[in-house]
Amino acid sequence: MHYTGTIWRPPYEADSLLLEVTVGCTHHKCKFCTLYSDLPFKFRMSPIEDIESNLLEAQVLHTNPYSKMLTRLQGKENPELIQRVFLTGANPFVLKTEKLLEIASFIHKYFPSVNSIGCFARITDSVNKTDEDLIRLRHADYNGLTIGVETGDDAALAFMRKGKADKEL
Ligand code: SF4
């Protein structure tokens, strides 16, 4: 699996398959944040070939004999189906709708059991998406974003350098 730098995820994503589709943050300027400071670059989108090879590897790891043996030792018949995928990086939702849909189609190809896809998002990442885009993404199982809403106070947002919407990638 490709994992770059420190991988951050919410505690409730402990059972989710973590899939690297982006690394870092498109904004990377908030005054209080050190989350991706271990990276030698600000933001990177993973090549689609890497995303697909990660899914293939996760599929093999999930169903290989060793995994099945561990499952049996835990008293279960088969490995539990993967239902949720969490895309890593600070804000994969900044990607263009077509790119996110392509990622979802690869996820469903390798894990047909997945019915929920989520990621971290900046509140501004949805600004460039139309209602139609959001409906299409919802139908592709994007149904659980984690958004840091620190404050609605404009002065505090400016002081903390929360910034404006970033361009879609
Ligand atoms: S948007 Fe999030 S990850 Fe990016 S710099 Fe701000 S707090 Fe950090």
Side-chain angles (χ1 to χ4, degrees), residues 24-36 89-91 121-122 148 150 160-162 166:
C25 171
T26 53
H27 182 57
H28 201 53
K29 290 192 187 113
C30 298
K31 205 181 253 184
F32 55 87
C33 177
T34 57
L35 287 192
Y36 299 93
N91 60 328
R122 273 169 58 72
E150 285 90 6
M160 287 297 176
R161 297 201 294 258
K162 286 300 294 181
D166 301 300

Side-chain angles (χ1 to χ4, degrees), residues 99-140:
K99 180 63 71 183
L100 289 169
L101 291 173
E102 186 182 19
I103 291 168
S105 75
F106 276 119
I107 289 171
H108 290 127
K109 175 178 166 189
Y110 289 96
F111 292 98
S113 54
V114 167
N115 56 24
S116 180
I117 304 173
C119 60
F120 284 130
R122 273 169 58 72
I123 192 79
T124 50
D125 288 343
S126 57
V127 164
N128 295 317
K129 291 180 173 59
T130 64
D131 288 352
E132 178 64 25
D133 288 336
L134 294 173
I135 290 167
R136 290 172 70 205
L137 290 166
R138 175 63 188 83
H139 285 157

